[in-house]
Amino acid sequence: SSGNGSDAVNGTAVRFVSSAEGTALAYGSLLLMALLPIFFGALKSVGCSKSKVNSLSYGLCKLQSIFSQEYINLLLSMYFFVLGILALSHTMSPFMCRVFPANVPNKQYQLLFTQGSGESKEEIVNYEFDTKDLICLVISSVVGVWYVLKKHWIANNLFGLAFALNGVELLHLNNVSTGCILLGGLFVYDVFWVFGTNVMVTVAKSFEAPIKLVFPQDLLEKGLDARNFAMLGLGDIVIPGIFIALLLRFDVSLKKNTRTYFYTSFLAYIFGLGLTIFVMHTFKHAQPALLYLVPACVGFPVLLALFKGDLTEMFSYESSDEVLPHTPRLTHFPTVSGSPASLANSMQSFGLSTPRSRRHTPSDIYEESLPEEASSKEEVTESDKDK
């Protein structure tokens, strides 16, 4: 959900104290920050493994009724400190590869943690990284310490953008029907929890965690110490974003060298978020953004597919890259190896890889199986000749 005001979020009344210029700057910045992870995350999502979407809002509200808010905030700070460092390091890795000086040696490192001894020794963590990865981790750790100590809105946004980008990249929908069901369910979820209860209010106001993007409306008056924030939840970015990324992969599957459905849904997202901001500003009341984003992001591409005659193909599309084998029950911690960029993938693929083995994509498995299939066909042919 989206809202504005330092003490008014997700369904509470709003009192504007900033100038019109400051408010426009805040809204425009939120819109831009929302578009960046969706656009680049969708581009990076092509070929990535899928994961699962979950929600924290209701669980966090229940935790608050059991434990003290102070302890929950401390736990969340440490939790997002670790996740934020990994997510930000993963985001920075491609840029570091481009700017890393060629004359500086890129040394390899390994962090190995085992259990047992002798023949029964088992690898728990086998984390390999290089100098570039180490620099990314150090920079991300500095941002993490800044966030934990100061809770500054810029540090919050750096972590939030990294979470959103990684979410759109790594969380995959397997087909359009699943996406429509997911967005439809979360459409009802968002409207109910914002307008029907105070759960979203409790979560947004009580917990200090980078689960939203913020931008001060009084930045022009108070500078970096501004406190009157306009806010946008990460769910309003990631949830439509993974559907937009799915449509990009559908565009690629058509092999028409066009990105019609991707750009249509992307522009629909801009329209939906702009409408959210307009209604919020007009009625001075925080809005469930999915109320406007879901009809726009689903409706416009579906209508376009109906007009172009691609509707059946759209709803029957299912990328083979995203059809993974059934994950076995996790009975022990898997081996984790690779750079920070691959660590996020390894953490989300429990049971899909074995220690000291290369992870195969479906295309790899298909290509490697071709020689065996070809040889088996030849054997059948020879046997037929004998007959």
Side-chain angles (χ1 to χ4, degrees):
S1 302
S2 61
N4 47 25
S6 58
D7 59 350
V9 189
N10 297 327
T12 59
V14 177
R15 184 179 67 180
F16 289 88
V17 296
S18 59
S19 63
E21 293 81 3
T23 301
L25 177 62
Y27 289 153
S29 299
L30 283 181
L31 179 61
L32 178 62
M33 286 191 293
L35 296 179
L36 290 176
I38 290 178
F39 185 83
F40 292 105
L43 293 178
K44 296 178 67 177
S45 74
V46 179
C48 291
S49 61
K50 71 175 180 179
S51 185
K52 298 179 180 179
V53 180
N54 52 38
S55 176
L56 292 175
S57 298
Y58 186 73
L60 291 177
C61 187
K62 287 296 183 183
L63 284 176
Q64 190 190 28
S65 64
I66 301 175
F67 301 102
S68 169
Q69 178 183 328
E70 179 182 356
Y71 292 111
I72 297 177
N73 278 334
L74 178 61
L75 176 64
L76 286 176
S77 295
M78 299 309 299
Y79 177 74
F80 282 104
F81 173 77
V82 176
L83 289 185
I85 289 176
L86 292 176
L88 189 58
S89 179
H90 182 200
T91 304
M92 292 175 55
S93 182
F95 300 99
M96 183 59 63
C97 292
R98 296 179 181 179
V99 302
F100 191 78
N103 57 347
V104 176
N106 186 27
K107 298 181 179 180
Q108 302 293 320
Y109 303 93
Q110 183 178 27
L111 181 63
L112 181 62
F113 181 71
T114 61
Q115 177 182 353
S117 60
E119 296 181 356
S120 61
K121 181 182 294 185
E122 181 181 2
E123 292 183 0
I124 304 299
V125 174
N126 186 0
Y127 182 42
E128 299 175 355
F129 55 99
D130 55 26
T131 304
K132 293 180 290 187
D133 300 324
L134 188 60
I135 295 175
C136 292
L137 286 171
V138 170
I139 297 175
S140 302
S141 299
V142 172
V143 176
V145 172
W146 182 26
Y147 171 76
V148 169
L149 295 180
K150 300 296 185 181
K151 295 295 190 298
H152 198 275
W153 61 273
I154 294 180
N156 173 89
N157 287 349
L158 290 175
F159 275 173
L161 287 171
F163 285 139
L165 179 61
N166 283 273
V168 176
E169 175 187 353
L170 301 176
L171 302 178
H172 282 199
L173 295 169
N174 59 343
N175 55 59
V176 175
S177 299
T178 302
C180 292
I181 295 172
L182 174 66
L183 267 66
L186 291 175
F187 170 88
V188 177
Y189 170 93
D190 203 25
V191 172
F192 173 77
W193 289 114
V194 171
F195 288 147
T197 72
N198 64 345
V199 170
M200 292 293 189
V201 181
T202 302
V203 171
K205 292 175 61 177
S206 302
F207 296 107
E208 298 175 350
I211 58 176
K212 57 186 176 293
L213 298 179
V214 300
F215 199 91
Q217 301 178 80
D218 52 347
L219 178 67
L220 300 178
E221 293 84 5
K222 298 183 179 180
L224 296 180
D225 294 328
R227 289 292 181 267
N228 185 27
F229 295 108
M231 306 178 185
L232 179 67
L234 293 188
D236 301 324
I237 301 173
V238 176
I239 300 303
I242 61 177
F243 186 78
I244 295 173
L246 171 65
L247 293 180
L248 174 60
R249 297 193 295 276
F250 172 63
D251 277 324
V252 173
S253 72
L254 295 177
K255 299 179 180 179
K256 296 180 180 179
N257 200 26
T258 61
R259 302 294 183 265
T260 305
Y261 295 102
F262 169 66
Y263 288 123
T264 299
S265 58
F266 190 74
L267 292 175
Y269 181 87
I270 297 176
F271 170 77
L273 189 56
L275 183 60
T276 305
I277 293 173
F278 173 78
V279 174
M280 181 176 61
H281 181 75
T282 301
F283 292 96
K284 307 297 188 291
H285 194 291
Q287 299 293 311
L290 293 182
L291 173 64
Y292 310 95
L293 292 173
V294 170
C297 293
V298 175
F300 281 92
V302 169
L303 289 176
L304 179 63
L306 181 63
F307 176 77
K308 296 184 65 177
D310 293 335
L311 190 63
T312 302
E313 190 172 4
M314 171 183 283
F315 278 88
S316 62
Y317 161 75
E318 187 167 351
S319 175
S320 59
D321 288 340
E322 294 153 347
V323 180
L324 300 180
H326 292 292
T327 303
R329 185 185 300 271
L330 180 65
T331 57
H332 62 280
F333 288 100
T335 298
V336 177
S337 62
S339 64
S342 63
L343 179 59
N345 294 335
S346 300
M347 292 176 66
Q348 300 186 43
S349 59
F350 291 159
L352 295 180
S353 61
T354 56
R356 297 174 180 172
S357 64
R358 182 174 67 91
R359 288 187 60 193
H360 298 277
T361 63
S363 59
D364 294 333
I365 297 173
Y366 175 74
E367 291 173 0
E368 292 176 2
S369 65
L370 285 179
E372 296 181 6
E373 294 176 357
S375 60
S376 63
K377 290 180 180 179
E378 292 176 358
E379 293 175 3
V380 172
T381 303
E382 292 296 332
S383 62
D384 291 339
K385 290 181 179 179
D386 294 339
K387 292 180 181 179

